Coordinates of all heavy atoms in Angstrom, one line a residue:
Chain P
Y36 N 79.3 45.0 -6.4 CA 79.0 43.9 -7.2 C 77.5 43.6 -7.0 O 76.9 44.0 -6.0 CB 79.7 42.6 -6.6 CG 81.1 42.4 -7.1 CD1 82.2 43.2 -6.6 CD2 81.4 41.5 -8.2 CE1 83.4 43.0 -7.1 CE2 82.7 41.4 -8.7 CZ 83.7 42.1 -8.1 OH 85.0 42.0 -8.6
V37 N 76.9 43.0 -8.0 CA 75.4 42.7 -8.0 C 75.3 41.2 -8.1 O 76.0 40.5 -8.9 CB 74.7 43.5 -9.0 CG1 75.2 43.2 -10.4 CG2 73.2 43.2 -8.9
Q38 N 74.3 40.6 -7.3 CA 74.1 39.2 -7.5 C 72.6 39.0 -7.8 O 71.7 39.2 -6.9 CB 74.4 38.5 -6.2 CG 74.4 36.9 -6.2 CD 75.0 36.4 -4.9 OE1 74.8 36.9 -3.8 NE2 75.7 35.3 -5.0
Y39 N 72.3 38.7 -9.0 CA 70.9 38.4 -9.5 C 70.5 36.9 -9.1 O 71.4 36.1 -8.9 CB 70.8 38.5 -11.0 CG 71.0 40.0 -11.5 CD1 72.2 40.3 -12.1 CD2 70.1 41.0 -11.3 CE1 72.5 41.6 -12.6 CE2 70.3 42.3 -11.7 CZ 71.6 42.5 -12.3 OH 71.8 43.8 -12.8
P40 N 69.3 36.7 -8.8 CA 68.8 35.4 -8.3 C 69.3 34.3 -9.2 O 69.2 34.3 -10.5 CB 67.3 35.5 -8.4 CG 67.0 37.0 -8.3 CD 68.1 37.7 -8.9
G41 N 70.0 33.3 -8.6 CA 70.5 32.1 -9.4 C 71.7 32.4 -10.3 O 72.2 31.5 -10.9
E42 N 72.3 33.6 -10.1 CA 73.5 33.9 -10.9 C 74.7 34.2 -10.0 O 74.6 34.4 -8.8 CB 73.2 35.1 -11.8 CG 72.1 34.8 -12.8 CD 71.9 36.0 -13.7 OE1 72.8 36.8 -13.9 OE2 70.9 36.0 -14.4
G43 N 75.9 34.2 -10.6 CA 77.1 34.6 -9.9 C 77.2 36.1 -9.7 O 76.5 36.9 -10.3
L44 N 78.1 36.4 -8.8 CA 78.3 37.9 -8.6 C 78.9 38.5 -9.9 O 79.8 37.9 -10.6 CB 79.4 38.1 -7.5 CG 79.0 37.9 -6.1 CD1 80.2 37.7 -5.2 CD2 78.2 39.0 -5.7
Q45 N 78.4 39.8 -10.2 CA 78.9 40.5 -11.3 C 79.4 41.9 -10.9 O 78.7 42.5 -10.1 CB 77.7 40.7 -12.3 CG 77.1 39.4 -12.9 CD 75.9 39.7 -13.8 OE1 75.8 40.8 -14.3 NE2 75.0 38.8 -13.9
L46 N 80.5 42.2 -11.4 CA 81.0 43.5 -11.2 C 80.1 44.6 -11.8 O 79.9 44.6 -13.0 CB 82.4 43.7 -11.7 CG 83.1 45.1 -11.6 CD1 83.3 45.4 -10.1 CD2 84.4 45.1 -12.3
L47 N 79.6 45.5 -10.9 CA 78.7 46.5 -11.4 C 79.6 47.8 -11.8 O 79.4 48.4 -12.9 CB 77.7 46.9 -10.4 CG 76.7 48.0 -10.7 CD1 75.9 47.6 -12.0 CD2 75.7 48.2 -9.6
L48 N 80.4 48.2 -10.9 CA 81.3 49.4 -11.1 C 82.4 49.4 -10.1 O 82.4 48.7 -9.1 CB 80.4 50.7 -11.1 CG 79.6 51.0 -9.8 CD1 80.4 51.6 -8.7 CD2 78.5 51.9 -10.2
K49 N 83.4 50.3 -10.4 CA 84.6 50.3 -9.6 C 85.2 51.7 -9.5 O 84.9 52.5 -10.5 CB 85.6 49.3 -10.0 CG 86.2 49.7 -11.4 CD 87.2 48.6 -11.9 CE 87.8 49.1 -13.2 NZ 88.5 48.0 -14.0
A50 N 86.0 52.0 -8.6 CA 86.8 53.2 -8.5 C 88.1 52.9 -7.8 O 88.1 52.2 -6.7 CB 86.0 54.3 -7.7
T51 N 89.2 53.4 -8.3 CA 90.5 53.0 -7.8 C 91.1 54.1 -7.1 O 92.2 53.8 -6.4 CB 91.4 52.6 -9.0 OG1 91.5 53.6 -9.9 CG2 90.8 51.3 -9.7
K52 N 90.7 55.3 -7.1 CA 91.3 56.4 -6.3 C 90.3 57.4 -5.9 O 89.2 57.5 -6.4 CB 92.4 57.0 -7.1 CG 92.1 57.7 -8.3 CD 93.4 58.2 -9.1 CE 93.0 59.0 -10.3 NZ 92.3 58.2 -11.3
A53 N 90.7 58.2 -4.9 CA 89.7 59.2 -4.3 C 89.2 60.1 -5.5 O 89.9 60.5 -6.4 CB 90.5 60.1 -3.3
D54 N 87.9 60.5 -5.3 CA 87.2 61.3 -6.2 C 86.8 60.6 -7.6 O 86.1 61.3 -8.3 CB 87.9 62.6 -6.5 CG 88.1 63.4 -5.2 OD1 87.2 63.3 -4.3 OD2 89.1 64.1 -5.1
D55 N 87.3 59.4 -7.7 CA 86.8 58.7 -9.0 C 85.3 58.4 -8.9 O 84.9 58.1 -7.8 CB 87.6 57.4 -9.0 CG 88.8 57.4 -9.9 OD1 89.2 58.5 -10.4 OD2 89.5 56.4 -10.1
K56 N 84.7 58.5 -10.0 CA 83.3 58.1 -10.1 C 83.2 56.9 -11.0 O 83.6 56.9 -12.2 CB 82.4 59.2 -10.6 CG 80.9 58.8 -10.8 CD 80.1 59.9 -11.4 CE 79.7 60.9 -10.5 NZ 78.8 61.9 -11.0
G57 N 82.6 55.8 -10.4 CA 82.4 54.6 -11.3 C 80.9 54.6 -11.7 O 80.1 55.1 -11.0
S58 N 80.7 54.2 -12.9 CA 79.3 54.2 -13.5 C 79.1 53.0 -14.4 O 80.0 52.6 -15.1 CB 79.0 55.5 -14.1 OG 79.9 55.7 -15.2
N59 N 77.8 52.5 -14.4 CA 77.5 51.5 -15.3 C 76.0 51.2 -15.2 O 75.4 51.2 -14.1 CB 78.2 50.1 -14.9 CG 78.0 49.0 -15.9 OD1 77.7 49.2 -17.0 ND2 78.1 47.8 -15.4
K60 N 75.3 51.0 -16.3 CA 73.9 50.7 -16.4 C 73.0 51.7 -15.6 O 72.0 51.3 -15.0 CB 73.6 49.3 -15.8 CG 74.4 48.2 -16.5 CD 74.1 46.9 -16.0 CE 74.8 45.7 -16.7 NZ 74.5 44.4 -16.1
G61 N 73.4 52.9 -15.5 CA 72.6 54.0 -14.9 C 73.0 54.1 -13.4 O 72.6 55.0 -12.7
F62 N 73.8 53.2 -12.9 CA 74.3 53.2 -11.5 C 75.6 54.1 -11.4 O 76.4 54.1 -12.3 CB 74.6 51.9 -10.9 CG 73.4 51.0 -10.7 CD1 72.9 50.2 -11.8 CD2 72.7 51.0 -9.5 CE1 71.8 49.4 -11.6 CE2 71.6 50.2 -9.3 CZ 71.1 49.4 -10.3
E63 N 75.7 54.8 -10.3 CA 77.0 55.6 -10.0 C 77.4 55.5 -8.6 O 76.6 55.2 -7.7 CB 76.7 57.0 -10.3 CG 76.4 57.4 -11.8 CD 76.2 58.9 -11.9 OE1 76.0 59.6 -11.0 OE2 76.4 59.4 -13.2
A64 N 78.7 55.6 -8.3 CA 79.2 55.7 -7.0 C 80.5 56.5 -7.1 O 81.3 56.3 -8.0 CB 79.5 54.3 -6.5
T65 N 80.7 57.4 -6.1 CA 81.9 58.2 -6.0 C 82.7 57.9 -4.8 O 82.2 57.8 -3.8 CB 81.5 59.7 -6.0 OG1 80.7 60.0 -7.2 CG2 82.8 60.6 -6.0
Y66 N 84.0 57.6 -5.0 CA 85.0 57.3 -4.0 C 85.3 58.6 -3.2 O 85.9 59.5 -3.7 CB 86.2 56.8 -4.7 CG 87.3 56.2 -3.8 CD1 88.1 55.1 -4.3 CD2 87.7 56.7 -2.6 CE1 89.1 54.6 -3.6 CE2 88.7 56.2 -1.9 CZ 89.4 55.1 -2.4 OH 90.5 54.5 -1.7
R67 N 84.7 58.6 -2.0 CA 84.9 59.8 -1.1 C 85.8 59.4 0.0 O 85.5 58.8 1.0 CB 83.6 60.2 -0.5 CG 82.5 60.6 -1.4 CD 82.7 61.9 -2.2 NE 81.6 62.3 -3.0 CZ 81.7 63.2 -3.9 NH1 82.9 63.8 -4.2 NH2 80.7 63.6 -4.6
K68 N 87.1 59.9 -0.1 CA 88.1 59.6 0.9 C 87.8 60.3 2.2 O 88.0 59.7 3.3 CB 89.5 59.9 0.4 CG 90.6 59.5 1.3 CD 91.9 59.7 0.6 CE 93.1 59.5 1.5 NZ 93.2 60.5 2.6
E69 N 87.3 61.5 2.2 CA 87.1 62.3 3.3 C 86.0 61.7 4.2 O 86.1 61.8 5.5 CB 86.8 63.8 3.0 CG 85.5 64.0 2.2 CD 85.7 63.7 0.7 OE1 86.7 63.2 0.3 OE2 84.7 64.1 0.0
T70 N 85.1 61.1 3.7 CA 84.0 60.4 4.4 C 84.2 58.9 4.4 O 83.3 58.2 5.0 CB 82.7 60.8 3.9 OG1 82.6 60.5 2.5 CG2 82.4 62.3 4.2
T71 N 85.1 58.3 3.8 CA 85.4 56.9 3.6 C 84.1 56.2 3.2 O 83.6 55.3 3.8 CB 85.9 56.2 4.9 OG1 85.0 56.4 6.0 CG2 87.3 56.8 5.3
S72 N 83.5 56.7 2.1 CA 82.2 56.2 1.6 C 82.3 56.0 0.2 O 83.2 56.5 -0.6 CB 81.1 57.2 1.9 OG 81.3 58.4 1.2
F73 N 81.3 55.1 -0.3 CA 81.2 54.8 -1.7 C 79.8 54.4 -1.9 O 79.4 53.3 -2.3 CB 82.1 53.6 -2.0 CG 82.4 53.3 -3.5 CD1 82.8 54.3 -4.3 CD2 82.1 52.0 -4.0 CE1 83.0 54.0 -5.7 CE2 82.4 51.7 -5.3 CZ 82.8 52.8 -6.2
H74 N 78.9 55.3 -1.8 CA 77.4 55.1 -1.9 C 77.0 54.9 -3.3 O 77.4 55.6 -4.2 CB 76.7 56.3 -1.3 CG 77.1 56.7 0.1 ND1 77.3 55.7 1.0 CD2 77.2 57.9 0.6 CE1 77.6 56.4 2.2 NE2 77.5 57.7 2.0
L75 N 76.1 53.8 -3.5 CA 75.6 53.5 -4.8 C 74.3 54.2 -5.0 O 73.4 54.3 -4.2 CB 75.3 52.0 -4.8 CG 74.8 51.5 -6.2 CD1 75.9 51.6 -7.2 CD2 74.4 50.0 -6.0
E76 N 74.1 54.9 -6.2 CA 72.9 55.6 -6.6 C 72.4 55.2 -8.0 O 73.2 54.9 -8.9 CB 73.2 57.1 -6.5 CG 73.6 57.6 -5.1 CD 73.7 59.2 -5.1 OE1 74.1 59.7 -6.2 OE2 73.6 59.7 -4.0

Side-chain angles (χ1 to χ4, degrees):
Chain P
Y36 278 82
V37 58
Q38 191 170 38
Y39 297 104
E42 297 184 20
L44 282 166
Q45 299 175 25
L46 178 63
L47 181 60
L48 52 84
K49 68 186 183 192
T51 58
K52 60 183 186 296
D54 300 324
D55 266 2
K56 177 185 284 189
S58 61
N59 186 25
K60 300 181 181 179
F62 291 89
E63 292 183 340
T65 301
Y66 189 143
R67 302 287 188 198
K68 182 172 177 294
E69 62 276 14
T70 55
T71 61
S72 65
F73 193 55
H74 304 321
L75 182 67
E76 297 183 335

